[in-house]
Structure formats: C-alpha cells, structure tokens
Amino acid sequence: GENVEQHPSTLSVQEGDSAVIKCTYSDSASNYFPWYKQELGKRPQLIIDIRSNVGEKKDQRIAVTLNKTAKHFSLHITETQPEDSAVYFCAAPAGPGRRALTFGSGTRLQVQP
Amino acid sequence: NAGVTQTPKFRILKIGQSMTLQCTQDMNHNYMYWYRQDPGMGLKLIYYSVGAGITDKGEVPNGYNVSRSTTEDFPLRLELAAPSQTSVYFCASRPQGTWDYEQYFGPGTRLTVT
C-alpha cells in the first residue's frame, strides 16, 4: 500500500521567513496530494491540494510543488506569520480504489515573532 | 449545515469497558472515515465506509467495530477498552465519486482509558 514520509518533524522560523515541508510517497500511481493544517486542539483542515497533471499550485502565501519522477511533493509558505504556527500533514490516496487517504507523520511549524 | 458532529467531546473509560463514539454528517456525503491521533502523532485510519451497509478496515482496525446503517451516521464501537486506545478520535466525510475531494473532519473525541 501507499507509504508517505514527511520531513522535518519540527520547524522553527522567524516571522517573515519562508518554510518548506517535504513529503515522499511510494505508489507511482498516486495522483492527488492534499495538505492539511491542524491548529492546537482543533480538527485538521485542508489548506491546499495538487493533482498529478500539474507541477505547482499557489494560493496566496502557500504553494505546493510536485515532482512525480522523484515521487515527492512539498508545501511552501512564504512571509510566515505567527498564525501559521500549527501542525501540517501531507497525504496521498490509499486503500482499494484509493478511496481513503494515508497521512504523513506531521510537521510542527513554529513561527517566532 | 452543522457539517460533521461527534459526541461525546471527552470520555474517560476504565479498562475493559465498552463505548460507542457517535459521528453524524448532514452534507449527504457517502464516504465516511474514522481516524485516531495519538499525542504528537499523525492520523491513522481505523475504518471507513463508502455507503450505507459497506465498511472496510483501515490501518489499525483491531479493537474497534463500525456499522453504517444510514448515510448520515457512522458510529465507532470500542469493545474491552485498553490503555493503548487512549487517543483523540476524528470522524471525517467527503462526497462520493473521484478520490480527490476534500475530507471534512469533525471536532474530535478525546478518550482516556485508565
């Protein structure tokens, strides 16, 4: 089945700096890659996703890039703000018919004011 | 729409007790999921369902059971609770169809087994 690895596990940046989180996946047939943000004590929420027919997608200060050859995708956050502090999870389709998701282990991002 | 709702919010169980975690969604989503999240860890899929009467095991199904008698409800049953089942449980749902739809999560149930 699909295996997703996420790095780093923790990331501390100064406000205004950029942050990059990387995930690798094992199933070359996977073609949908979402990123979820989970604030402390809250539920995970989708912040951006990408499909395999594009290499990059942007939404204001966040972007996701996909390298299908290397089987990795990355989340980029520019001009970080304290409210970006949270745990970020990547995911990829899993299970029969790829009707479920398997999640990475998460990255705790701390933005220092 | 209330979205995905879960009850209870918190629960403390003694070892060997049983309980049912409730999950309801009002978005007419066919696909529903149960995850557990251990402290400081990621989300592990317990069970999922693609429609009423259909359920499938995820990565960590042992010690749990589910049923799906209606589109709206997807309860998770814990039999003979063990300390290893101390976790936060999230229910999620998404529309049927292509696999690239967003999953909507409930607020979670924090369970402690002592």
Side-chain angles (χ1 to χ4, degrees):
Chain A
E2 178 66 277
N3 183 44
V4 175
E5 295 192 358
Q6 183 172 345
H7 299 280
S9 56
T10 60
L11 181 59
S12 182
V13 300
Q14 291 295 124
E15 183 176 357
D17 287 350
S18 295
V20 181
I21 303 169
K22 182 176 176 178
C23 286
T24 60
Y25 60 98
S26 59
D27 186 352
S28 56
S30 288
N31 51 5
Y32 171 70
F33 306 96
W35 285 91
Y36 284 78
K37 176 183 180 182
Q38 185 179 30
E39 297 176 355
L40 190 62
K42 303 290 187 182
R43 71 192 81 185
Q45 290 189 297
L46 180 75
I47 56 170
I48 195 167
D49 55 18
I50 191 168
R51 303 174 192 181
S52 60
N53 58 343
V54 298
E56 184 176 5
K57 182 178 179 180
K58 287 184 180 179
D59 183 2
Q60 299 181 348
R61 294 187 299 108
I62 61 173
V64 56
T65 58
L66 172 65
N67 183 327
K68 287 199 69 179
T69 302
K71 290 191 284 187
H72 68 71
F73 56 109
S74 300
L75 177 70
H76 305 254
I77 306 174
T78 58
E79 301 173 21
T80 53
Q81 300 167 4
E83 52 264 38
D84 294 329
S85 296
V87 179
Y88 293 81
F89 295 98
C90 61
R98 297 190 179 85
R99 292 175 293 191
L101 290 174
T102 189
F103 284 83
S105 53
T107 296
R108 182 172 300 278
L109 174 64
Q110 181 107 29
V111 180
Q112 307 286 352
Chain B
N1 285 350
V4 181
T5 57
Q6 293 182 237
T7 57
K9 287 188 171 57
F10 305 94
R11 182 73 185 267
I12 298 175
L13 277 183
K14 294 188 184 304
I15 294 171
Q17 288 185 322
S18 300
M19 76 164 295
T20 299
L21 282 67
Q22 301 293 343
C23 175
T24 299
Q25 52 90 12
D26 62 359
M27 298 175 282
N28 201 32
H29 288 171
N30 278 326
Y31 289 11
M32 296 187 74
Y33 307 86
W34 273 107
Y35 296 91
R36 60 175 288 173
Q37 185 175 36
D38 297 337
M41 303 293 284
L43 297 154
K44 296 292 185 185
L45 182 64
I46 306 171
Y47 270 96
Y48 66 102
S49 168
V50 299
I54 306 170
T55 61
D56 282 295
K57 294 179 181 179
E59 302 169 74
V60 290
N62 291 345
Y64 307 94
N65 277 302
V66 292
S67 59
R68 184 91 183 274
S69 56
T70 67
T71 299
E72 294 77 23
D73 301 306
F74 190 37
L76 178 71
R77 177 84 177 159
L78 277 73
E79 304 282 1
L80 299 174
S84 60
Q85 293 178 305
T86 293
S87 192
V88 178
Y89 291 83
F90 287 101
C91 178
S93 72
R94 74 164 176 87
Q96 180 182 350
T98 58
W99 38 259
D100 57 350
Y101 281 148
E102 174 180 356
Q103 288 192 15
Y104 296 83
F105 284 80
T109 293
R110 186 175 297 274
L111 176 67
T112 302
V113 182
T114 61

